Amino acid sequence: MAKLKVGLVQQAVAGNDKQANWRKSAEQVRHLAAQGAELVMLQELHSTLYFCQEENTDYFDLAEPIPGPATEYFAALAAELNIVLVTSLFEKRGSGLYHNTAVVFDRKEGMVGKYRKMHIPDDPGFYEKFYFTPGDLGFEPIQTSVGKLGVLVCWDQWYPEAARLMAMRGADMLFYPTAIGWDITDTPDERERQHTAWHTIQRAHAVANSVPVIVANRTGFEASPIDGDPGIQFWGQSFIAGPQGELLAQASSDKEETLLVELDLARTEKVKRIWPYFRDRRIDAYEDLTRRWRD
């Protein structure tokens, strides 16, 4: 497949009514499919508000098993539209055991793979370690009818090791469903630095591995349930970059939008031949990368 139309959905979330949020997402997925998209990605934890702004055991009620209602809904949507669909959910694997999980559906084949978020943050307003057990499925691309998808999740986007391992296993593209934003007390300069860093490192994954990168981030303000906490202004700006990090499309910071790009996968192969990074890696000298620190 030399050409592939890829789309993403950038949304704001107003509440925890899953069915309403799924219908809203499905409307935009249908819009992209009508324009010829064969692969569509939704943002991280799109079924609910970003509940990790506080540590509250009641939020575990939002999780669900795989298979479950969400996977049934989105499998049916992918089959209806004859597309590959990358989704995200709060997975209940067992009593007291939960993951932040991306799930991939392939046309009428149903669920063809999942990825459990490996890197779990714990920062003010992003208390994810309270909710999510680190993934145990490794960095394994998911084979679909449109290619091998290297699906990672949000905080994973800061780690070149994750992108590299996906590419080394033959991922044709990298996908990052994301929920990241500013503390509203941050200064404009600090906001710009944070966003630029986020944008730059993901485009760098495209460059270093010669593969397109697709990033779907949420938008909108979500108030903190903790009195006195500032809440999060999710910065949107979802984007799609080509295999040399070139920006192919980018959404706004504050609007719900879709993006659609036709990727030239034959060009990706040409870039890999011109810039043979994998050929020139000094794997004989990298053993310390598996250590926490070089003391």
Side-chain angles (χ1 to χ4, degrees), residues 64-294:
E64 60 180 86
I66 298 176
T71 57
E72 291 176 7
Y73 184 94
F74 289 106
L77 182 64
E80 170 199 335
L81 301 174
N82 194 34
I83 62 169
V84 175
L85 183 60
V86 181
T87 69
S88 171
L89 62 81
F90 183 16
E91 178 191 0
K92 181 178 181 180
R93 185 175 179 183
S95 182
L97 182 60
Y98 304 84
H99 296 282
N100 186 333
T101 303
V103 185
V104 177
F105 306 93
D106 192 349
R107 306 185 191 273
K108 300 185 187 304
E109 296 299 314
M111 185 177 71
V112 293
K114 62 181 180 285
Y115 166 81
R116 291 176 175 142
K117 185 173 181 176
M118 293 283 279
H119 301 95
I120 311 297
D122 190 71
D123 299 298
F126 295 86
Y127 298 111
E128 295 197 15
K129 279 186 167 64
F130 182 79
Y131 296 99
F132 307 130
T133 299
D136 57 357
L137 299 176
F139 300 106
E140 295 292 334
I142 297 169
Q143 182 67 59
T144 74
S145 59
V146 298
K148 282 188 176 181
L149 313 187
V151 182
L152 298 157
V153 177
C154 202
W155 194 238
D156 293 326
Q157 67 209 357
W158 300 98
Y159 294 86
E161 300 91 339
R164 177 70 87 196
L165 288 168
M166 284 291 193
M168 287 172 63
R169 185 68 84 176
D172 297 303
M173 297 158 272
L174 296 176
F175 293 82
Y176 293 96
T178 298
I180 189 169
W182 296 293
D183 178 327
I184 61 171
T185 63
D186 286 337
T187 66
D189 285 349
E190 177 59 21
R191 293 184 183 197
E192 179 61 25
R193 286 190 292 268
Q194 289 179 14
H195 173 261
T196 299
W198 174 83
H199 204 255
T200 301
I201 195 163
Q202 290 176 99
R203 291 174 67 186
H205 298 329
V207 175
N209 297 290
S210 302
V211 292
V213 168
I214 298 92
V215 183
N217 188 33
R218 69 206 282 145
T219 189
F221 176 71
E222 294 184 25
S224 173
I226 301 174
D227 288 342
D229 279 9
I232 301 173
Q233 180 66 52
F234 291 98
W235 65 47
Q237 300 182 77
S238 304
F239 68 92
I240 299 173
Q244 290 175 296
E246 68 275 25
L247 193 61
L248 303 176
Q250 180 169 320
S252 67
S253 64
D254 58 354
K255 293 183 179 65
E256 296 183 292
E257 297 181 50
T258 61
L259 296 180
L260 181 65
V261 166
E262 184 174 70
L263 296 178
D264 183 351
L265 300 182
R267 179 173 167 274
T268 297
E269 174 64 22
K270 290 177 182 177
V271 170
K272 289 183 176 181
R273 295 178 182 186
I274 296 168
W275 300 92
Y277 301 129
F278 290 91
R279 181 196 67 190
D280 297 335
R281 294 178 65 240
R282 287 297 307 277
I283 59 173
D284 57 309
Y286 296 159
E287 63 271 9
D288 281 356
L289 286 176
T290 61
R291 300 175 61 179
R292 180 70 63 184
W293 190 254
R294 297 183 76 190

